[in-house]
Amino acid sequence: PEKVSTLLLFGATGDLAHRMLLPSLYGLHADGLLPDNFKIVGTARSELNDEQYRASAVEALKEHVPANFYDPKSALVFSRRLTYVCLDATKPEGFKKLAKTVDPSAGLAIFLSTAPTLFKAVIDGLEANGLTGPRVRLALEKPLGTDLASSRVINDAVAIAFPEDRTFRIDHYLGKETVQNLLALRFANSMFEPLWNSAHIDHVQITVAEGIGLEERGAYYDGAGALRDMVQNHMLQLLALVAMEPPADFDATSIRDEKVKVLRTLRPMRPDDVSDHVVTGQYRKGAVGGDPVPGYTEELGKESTTETFVALKAHVENWRWAGVPFYLRTGKRMAERKTEIFIQFKCVPHSIFASRGARTQPNKLVIAIQPEENIRLLVMAKTPGLDREGIRLREVPLDVGMANAFADARRRIAYERLLLDLIDGDPTLFVRRDEVEAQWQWIDGVRAAWEGAGLTPKPYGAGSWGPSAAIALTERDGVHWHD
Ligand code: BG6
């Protein structure tokens, strides 16, 4: 694939553009990674001229680029790459102006950072004005539907103008350096893979805990809930990367083929399973990091039964993972921000230390994704001493702190990698349609099962680790959440 020469950004004045996309493009510019004549055309409904848009972009950079990386001169030079076209996606005029500004035959990447309700109108407008074609690729971001059927409607509408190899579905977790590092850990080391199966692994936990609440996204979030907002995409992608078979190569087809196989082996949730496989919750008022915060419905301003927390026990039904539970949990307003994959190995088959009064614990591998990136293997060691009163064993960590190991590497926003791959035309870290559909298929089943079972969200205090039922979910199996 060839590099495109222009990025066309729909939703160019929106929150994602200001917080993530413009700072990411600035990062690529400052590192000399954007092609020399690369242009960025922003569109949105606001009536702005180029200069006004450039000024607003510079303001956004000042606010969102880390101070030690922000350079006013470089920001100014970057802003000259930007132009702006005022466009209402439901009307034809804007697209006509756009057609005069961008040349799709010179290679164009289009990023839809707008509400999905506008996708069809945008695609129709692009089509009608000659802004599609073999050298145009399209990036879109969730929410791509609220279930399998509605996601198919969106994907079908997109597919009319953009075949799958030019459709780049974003899951920003795949742009995170730490998530990509999972592949390096598993497939660039020989010591983990032989143990990476049900013979040696007792269970897996995936936690994506957030301290933040609604953040003025109530209208979207209340219609989605934690299952659709976080599990359907980010958490199932993490699960797929943990559980997939080794791909033959680091290329888009090999990696995505292996991920989709895992997603399709998730055991469908049955209504009878719900009571011991699913817990949902909704936060009440409390305190996060010492600051008092209101409850969900107060923040939202109305009554709601939307879940802001979900804990699930999932099963990957294949030869490698038979009998190994995958516990997933995510929530807003939890005790702290923490994304982590925790793998507990099986106990030694026989402890030679038992007769000396010492207890062994199973080995654990903790892959901390954020806020700190860290890989920690917990191993048993003997406590120093003469052992006159018996042997004492203790768990000690073997730590790889990535921040120290790679101290001079700048921490990039996930979107930097994804935007660069979009410009280059490398789809490896984007989600293929069959993956999205397998994800929805499983999620729809979970939802249907919990609705069938009449599950309602249990209250939890903001700043906690979720409802107590989530603790019972694992304790029933003799497993503790790793907190
Ligand atoms: C988004 C969700 O996809 O991911 C948000 O819609 C969530 O609700 C966010 O806060 C979390 O992303 P990150 O990168 O901060 O873990």
Side-chain angles (χ1 to χ4, degrees):
E2 50 186 357
K3 277 190 199 308
V4 296
S5 65
T6 305
L7 176 72
L8 173 55
L9 180 56
F10 282 83
T13 56
D15 188 55
L16 187 71
H18 281 165
R19 277 190 310 117
M20 298 288 174
L21 304 180
L22 290 169
S24 299
L25 290 162
Y26 168 78
L28 297 175
H29 163 90
D31 284 350
L33 294 169
L34 292 182
D36 281 348
N37 297 319
F38 190 76
K39 287 196 305 185
I40 300 158
V41 181
T43 85
R45 275 200 313 207
S46 318
E47 302 259 359
L48 299 173
N49 60 31
D50 288 350
E51 283 315 317
Q52 287 166 323
Y53 184 61
R54 287 175 183 155
S56 74
V58 170
E59 282 309 306
L61 298 181
K62 262 189 221 154
E63 192 177 339
H64 297 293
V65 173
N68 60 358
F69 187 59
Y70 180 74
D71 169 29
K73 267 201 213 116
S74 185
L76 206 62
V77 177
F78 167 74
S79 75
R80 294 200 195 108
R81 292 181 184 270
L82 303 171
T83 52
Y84 183 82
V85 174
C86 166
L87 179 144
D88 177 342
T90 59
K91 305 210 174 98
E93 301 88 72
F95 289 97
K96 296 212 170 75
K97 274 189 273 166
L98 211 51
K100 290 192 195 123
T101 314
V102 295
D103 173 13
S105 68
L108 176 64
I110 302 175
F111 195 118
L112 297 189
S113 170
T114 56
T117 45
L118 291 176
F119 286 0
K120 185 160 177 351
V122 172
I123 288 166
D124 290 348
L126 293 169
E127 273 262 272
N129 290 279
L131 289 166
T132 55
R135 303 186 71 186
V136 186
R137 47 186 86 116
L138 183 78
L140 17 124
E141 169 128 37
K142 76 151 225 290
L144 298 180
T146 51
D147 56 13
L148 178 59
S150 53
S151 92
R152 282 194 172 141
V153 170
I154 295 174
N155 281 320
D156 285 344
V158 169
I160 291 173
F162 295 93
E164 185 61 31
D165 64 343
R166 287 192 279 112
T167 301
F168 288 64
R169 287 182 205 81
I170 291 183
D171 182 314
H172 79 278
Y173 268 53
L174 296 181
K176 291 182 192 275
E177 196 68 61
T178 43
V179 172
Q180 292 156 35
N181 204 19
L182 243 177
L183 294 174
L185 180 77
R186 282 194 63 193
F187 304 124
N189 294 292
S190 61
M191 58 186 290
F192 295 111
E193 206 45 32
L195 303 178
W196 212 259
N197 55 52
S198 64
H200 301 284
I201 290 182
D202 180 76
H203 72 269
V204 177
Q205 299 179 18
I206 303 178
T207 295
V208 184
E210 296 187 282
I212 57 171
L214 268 182
E215 306 236 291
E216 293 165 24
R217 294 163 75 227
Y220 152 73
Y221 191 86
D222 197 54
L227 185 73
R228 293 184 180 117
D229 184 51
M230 295 296 277
V231 184
Q232 187 272 338
N233 37 60
H234 311 320
M235 296 191 79
L236 289 186
Q237 283 291 324
L238 292 179
L239 181 148
L241 292 173
V242 171
M244 72 185 188
E245 295 300 313
D249 196 0
F250 196 102
D251 67 68
T253 304
S254 309
I255 290 192
R256 299 190 298 178
D257 282 353
E258 295 307 337
K259 280 194 294 172
V260 79
K261 276 193 231 163
V262 171
L263 295 165
R264 287 185 181 143
T265 58
L266 284 168
R267 185 208 288 172
M269 191 73 67
R270 295 173 298 230
D272 291 352
D273 292 336
V274 170
S275 61
D276 56 359
H277 280 66
V278 190
V279 173
T280 58
Q282 190 189 76
Y283 61 84
R284 299 290 186 259
K285 70 174 194 264
V288 179
D291 297 327
V293 294
Y296 177 73
T297 51
E298 287 133 24
E299 225 178 310
L300 185 67
K302 60 173 188 186
E303 286 307 305
S304 166
T305 53
T306 297
E307 82 287 357
T308 62
F309 172 94
V310 55
L312 291 162
K313 178 161 131 180
H315 303 273
V316 176
E317 291 202 301
N318 62 17
W319 192 296
R320 184 188 283 260
W321 295 113
V324 180
F326 283 71
Y327 300 100
L328 314 180
R329 123 187 111 147
T330 183
K332 298 255 182 226
R333 290 284 191 228
M334 293 184 64
E336 60 185 79
R337 178 170 194 238
K338 179 171 96 166
T339 302
E340 176 187 280
I341 296 166
F342 173 87
I343 293 165
Q344 181 159 319
F345 291 88
K346 294 203 160 150
C347 293
V348 291
H350 165 73
S351 172
I352 64 166
F353 301 100
S355 60
R356 300 289 197 102
R359 291 234 307 266
T360 52
Q361 296 207 40
N363 296 132
K364 291 144 196 156
L365 178 65
V366 187
I367 305 166
I369 292 176
Q370 55 190 26
E372 297 310 321
E373 185 182 7
N374 187 270
I375 296 173
R376 168 177 293 182
L377 187 61
L378 295 166
V379 296
M380 296 308 290
K382 187 176 102 60
T383 309
L386 300 176
D387 305 330
R388 309 286 289 167
E389 270 137 39
I391 296 178
R392 281 180 302 148
L393 299 175
R394 212 181 75 196
E395 205 171 51
V396 290
L398 291 177
D399 251 321
V400 187
M402 292 298 182
N404 293 335
F406 301 99
D408 39 356
R410 176 167 73 82
R411 294 185 87 170
R412 294 176 187 277
I413 311 172
Y415 286 94
E416 290 187 50
R417 171 65 189 260
L418 297 177
L419 284 165
L420 194 62
D421 286 355
L422 171 69
I423 292 165
D424 289 347
D426 179 351
T428 311
L429 298 177
F430 294 82
V431 185
R432 211 167 55 189
R433 178 168 179 163
D434 53 358
E435 292 178 77
V436 179
E437 295 195 346
Q439 290 170 184
W440 275 124
Q441 180 110 37
W442 190 71
I443 291 293
D444 284 0
V446 171
R447 239 198 140 79
W450 94 32
E451 277 165 10
L455 195 72
T456 49
K458 301 204 162 34
Y460 63 99
S464 71
W465 283 105
S468 52
I471 298 168
L473 178 97
T474 58
E475 296 289 333
R476 220 178 277 128
D477 300 342
V479 168
H480 313 299
W481 287 111
H482 180 245
D483 288 334

